[in-house]
């Protein structure tokens, strides 16, 4: 009888411990899922918030050939030189979109003139559309991957490597080609975004955990 009682209580104890383990496993799983849901929601909120307030600039080369890549940069410079001063005058995304749409033909003409001057006869397609962008750094600023409104300039077949920047708020400058961001541009961007959105893309304080969270979920979304 003692042996049976011992076996009974041992089995009961083991069952109780297994139930506790299962309970803790469920609790940890619930916490993990809640964390994932919260960070996912945060990521989409921040990226969408940034995307709603900026316009990217997307130039596609005819091919990856060195000559076509150089031509892409020449076309980029010509367009920025033509529109740069005027773009800086607009204080809202809506105004900038209207300006760009009203100047499609002008942008096309500038691009075609530069292409001809460089000795090519490629066509050009100008559009303003929503485009998927990868993670992109502009000096100290890092824009998370995602869908953004973009002025898109497609040269020839548009099969070559792309060039990206931001035309609103204006970060694109011919002299630095977005490898740097002027302090004035940074201030304008900060004024366009919420404090939280700007803190995510501003990398001046080293590793930005918030940005890592946003970028991880955006990469998952883009897969």
């Amino acid at each position: 009888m003692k042996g049976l009682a011992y076996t009974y209580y041992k089995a009961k104890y083991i069952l109780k411990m297994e139930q506790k383990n299962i309970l803790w496993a469920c609790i940890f799983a619930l916490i993990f899922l809640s964390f994932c849901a919260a960070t996912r929601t945060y990521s989409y909120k921040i990226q969408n918030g940034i995307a709603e307030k900026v316009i990217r600039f997307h130039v596609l080369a005819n091919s990856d050939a060195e000559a076509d890549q150089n031509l892409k940069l020449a076309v980029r410079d010509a367009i920025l030189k033509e529109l740069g001063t005027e773009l800086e005058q607009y204080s809202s995304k809506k105004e900038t979109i209207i300006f760009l749409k009203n100047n499609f033909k002008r942008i096309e003409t500038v691009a075609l003139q530069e292409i001809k001057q460089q000795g090519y006869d490629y066509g050009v397609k100008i559009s303003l559309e929503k485009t998927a962008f990868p993670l992109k750094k502009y000096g100290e600023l890092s824009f998370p991957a995602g869908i953004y409104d973009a002025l898109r300039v497609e040269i020839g077949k548009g099969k070559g490597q792309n060039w990206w920047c931001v035309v609103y708020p204006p970060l694109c400058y011919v002299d630095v080609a977005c490898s740097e961001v002027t302090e004035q541009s940074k201030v304008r961007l900060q004024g366009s975004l919420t404090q939280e959105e700007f803190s995510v893309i501003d990398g001046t304080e080293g590793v930005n955990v918030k940005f890592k969270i946003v970028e991880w979920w955006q990469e998952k979304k883009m897969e």
Side-chain angles (χ1 to χ4, degrees), residues 69-79 114-115 118:
Q69 287 296 310
N70 290 335
L71 176 63
K72 172 190 71 177
L73 299 181
V75 170
R76 171 205 69 187
D77 290 352
I79 293 173
E114 184 62 31
I115 291 171
Q118 296 289 334

Side-chain angles (χ1 to χ4, degrees), residues 136-180:
K136 191 66 179 176
K137 294 185 177 182
Y138 306 117
E140 297 173 341
L141 304 179
S142 298
F143 280 72
I147 306 298
Y148 294 84
D149 291 314
L151 173 64
R152 183 180 171 97
V153 179
E154 186 175 342
I155 303 171
K157 296 179 180 179
K159 300 297 184 181
Q161 294 183 42
N162 309 328
W163 180 87
W164 298 275
C165 198
V166 180
V167 291
Y168 182 82
L171 299 183
C172 299
Y173 289 88
V174 177
D175 56 341
V176 296
C178 277
S179 61
E180 301 175 14

Side-chain angles (χ1 to χ4, degrees), residues 66 112 121 150 160 185 198 212:
E66 183 178 358
L112 288 173
D121 61 354
S185 296
F198 186 76
K212 295 296 183 182

Side-chain angles (χ1 to χ4, degrees), residues 95-109:
E95 290 176 337
T96 304
I97 287 177
I98 293 173
F99 169 77
L100 292 173
K101 286 182 176 180
N102 289 338
N103 284 275
F104 274 4
K105 189 63 180 178
R106 178 182 170 194
I107 297 170
E108 179 184 20
T109 299

Side-chain angles (χ1 to χ4, degrees), residues 79-93:
I79 293 173
L80 292 177
K81 184 178 180 180
E82 176 73 18
L83 303 180
T85 302
E86 293 175 75
L87 285 169
E88 290 181 9
Q89 298 175 1
Y90 296 100
S91 58
S92 74
K93 178 178 178 178

